[in-house]
Amino acid sequence: MASDVDTAPLVGRAELVQTVRSALLGDAAHGQTAAVFLTGESGVGKTRLLGEIGDRLRERGAVVLTGSCLDIGDASPLHPLLQALRRFDTEVSTSPARTSSAVRGLLQMFADETAGPDGAGALLERVSRGLHLIAEGRPLVLILDDLQWVDRSTRQLLLYLLAGLGDLQLSVLAAVRAESLQGAHPLRRVLTELRRLRTVRVLDLAPLGRADTETLAAAVVGQTLTADAAEQVWQRSGGNPFVIEELARDLRDGRDGLSETLREIFLDRVDALPQHAHAVVHAVAAGVEPVQHWLLAEVLRMPEDELIAAARAAVAHRLLVGADEGYRLRHRLVAEVLAHELLPAERSGLHRRYAEALTTAPSELHQARLAHHWRLAGEPARALPAAVAAAQEAERLHGYAEAHRHWSAALQLAAEPGPLTVDRVELLENAAEAAHHCGEHARALALLEELATLRGGEPSCALYIRRARYLAAAGRSALAEEEYQRALKAADCSPRDRASAAARLAELLLHLGRYADAGERAREALALAENVAGSATEVVLASSALGFSDACLEDPDAGLAVMRDALETAERAGQPEDVACAYLHLAELLTGPLNVLEEGVVVARRGAERVAELGLGRTWGTRLLAIAINGLFRVGQWAEAEKVVAIALRHRPSGADAVELLLARCRLSVGYGDIEAAGRDLDAVATLLAGGGARHVIPLLTLRSGLAMWEGRHDVARQAVQRGLTESRSDDVMILSALVWHGLRAEAEAHASRTVEVDPTAVRRLRDVAERVARKSAGAARPVRSVVEGFLALCAAEVSRLDGSDPELWAASAAEWDRRNHPYPAAYSRLRQAEALLARRSRVATAGKLLREAYRVAQGLGAVPLTSEIRELAGRARVSLDERDSTTGTRGVAVEASDDELAALTAREREVLALVAEGLTNREIGQRLFISERTIGVHVSHIFDKLQVRTRVQASAIQLRNQRG
């Protein structure tokens, strides 16, 4: 229904509209995700801007889905997306059948969704695929209003899609009421993290200035305002467009005597309505927007003609907005004003009629609203079943935060006086578990205490175990340990419970670094599990703790034997997750503490194939492949690592699994010098971690530091390292030693470049951390000490760069990494050793040999930044990097075409060259090999350099000659 509310011009926002449109379609057109979040106070014009921008995006050919978040705390999971799809389904009824079918297919997927082994991640991927089908290659824009009320499931979906994991050209435009983001609001932290990303913009929508206020008011009034009237509008509105329009219309219509407050303005507007329209506005204010026409008709019980006339009058008086999906208040401030205007009996009567109407039209989307209205109607006995149904529906869609709110509402309703037939014990159990799953650990523990009190008597063994799980998740490890001990001593502890408690206690002790205690408890758990049928889970969990314990206490062979036994046990039991867990821990043990990289890579890849057969490739398989990629990177098999990345990406991972994979791929991109791809992956990881989880903070910041150094931004590298030392309290000496090396290297690079002053305080802190890492690693297994010693050798050598680089320290570092078969840090150490020798003007021949050796390794890896730095140093020192020059003393000359021409190329570079010779573009090659176009460009550049050619034609000619030969 149109009204003059829509005729007010959009004033003072033209530049913003253009900025947002360019940000959304500009990035999405290049295959990236993009997002703009508009924040501002109520009435500042966010919703109007969403509509304006959405219309312009449609004109540009984008597919636009528009949804709004519900303004009740217990919203249904993914409600705004479901609402947007239903609206779009109506819009495309006359569109090609393929689009309409895709929309309805996605809606049907939601209806058919059931819990599966891959959990919420699988749901996110199916949603992404559905949206991809709807888009049909066009840019897709998801517009969400009132994001401050967003449910957790929708937040997770946004993070997943913005991370670029859904293979979808997606843009998100959302409006957030700024005053709602107070205290610990979950969206507050997410927006704080997202502000750091390059493809995400958070724009604060300020009120209009004095000039724009007067322009808008004059447009509504239809003539220039007098000085007094303009001043009055400015002073009373504060530049808020909604209030400006309301005050200007009062001036235009000659209404006088209004009070100075918005409350009185709104009440005056309501009082001016016809009586039947009065009822419509009050009913909509009491409902959950949007209020559908059929629902409003059921609540008000008016004749159809009278209802339409009343709604039309409310719209004409600028209190309601009518749309296809229903009615909503022009502004939510109206609801706040009207809330105090009805008697309690009138309010409860309205909610009762809403609940009765919704009961006649059962739907999973109605359960949350039904519980809401029955509760406010004073009918807890009828609200309770709806709350329970809403909780179960939320859990079906993996919306544990929403489920927790529904279970909590059910508990409150069950406490109301009256003849309620409900099992409160079951409600408490469900509410506690939902709170635990969604991270509300304190709430979970409180509910558990209530459950123990209600049951009375001595707590059961199962209750002790559950409390210990919750305490451990809350970070209260000492108390969790005590609870596991109580569980083991409980008289009612069954053999299965005892094995479970011992295994979980072993895992807890392992995380606390108490390896001997962990091993002892793990052995106890394994002994108990021998007498329990179907105890593979306990065996795998305990074996993991025992294997790591033995490996870290100077008995790597024993640790390996235990892990291999665990794998055999899991395979015999046939439980997919147990098999996956056993493979994962074995691969982590080999590539981590034991540093047996080649075997670890083999185990990881074999495990990935096995779990894929078991249906867990998307989760556990991705994590195993990430382990393999990291191992291949360390041993210098970068081209093979790229192939594994391509395989893993086909699983379309999400959450922590995606983080593991993206970090592994980013290591390759940093090594290759693909700055854009590395930055994109780091932004994606930061996006995913914005929703919670700090386990990967140090690797993320270490990579961000390394990337910044290759870009010459040594101050940014320093900040990343210092943030890692401050924000994380990891006890993993291996990743800490790598972070410290990056920090000291950043200071050394700053000193060498003279672009940034060295920070003596940062250097002292880094050296202190390095000493602490050295002391802590002294008691670790020999393989762990070996890796840490390699990084500490790099740290000592970097410190020497601050006061005349010591070539002997760099030689020691190169030897350390040679022993571990890690070619990249060894080549870097040789570069620095040569640099130190040349700076001292001594042993120039030795320096030349070191540079040539480092150059050979760097070229073989495809490490473009390292290769460039070696070339630059060699050029300044007039050292030839051609191996032949070192033996003949003459400049290299062109050789005849032979197989040797391609000998310097890596396996991946040979693949790329073959496709270049077929005439494919970089984009086409990237699609063929599942690599970004930017990475292909790096490979092509490196091929040109190695073959000493300048064009694709020349490179193709060499490829064809060697094929014929």
Side-chain angles (χ1 to χ4, degrees), residues 496-508:
R496 177 178 296 282
D497 285 341
R498 198 175 300 278
S500 177
R504 292 182 183 281
L505 176 56
E507 183 185 35
L508 175 66

Side-chain angles (χ1 to χ4, degrees), residues 31 235 238 324 397 459 470 617 628 650 782 840 876 894 906 911 914:
Q235 291 296 333
D324 290 339
L397 292 173
Y470 294 177
R650 293 170 189 159
R782 178 62 218 172
R840 298 185 178 196
R876 291 200 308 268
T906 66
E911 286 183 296

Side-chain angles (χ1 to χ4, degrees), residues 9 32 36 196 230 245 302 334 365 380 400 493 517 572 647 650 692 709 757 801 833 868 916 965:
Q32 298 183 14
V36 175
R196 302 177 181 180
E245 293 179 25
M302 285 184 184
V334 177
L365 292 179
Y400 292 109
C493 197
D517 293 341
R572 285 196 301 271
I647 294 170
R650 293 170 189 159
M709 278 186 276
E757 291 292 329
R801 291 178 70 193
Q833 183 185 357
S868 299
V916 167

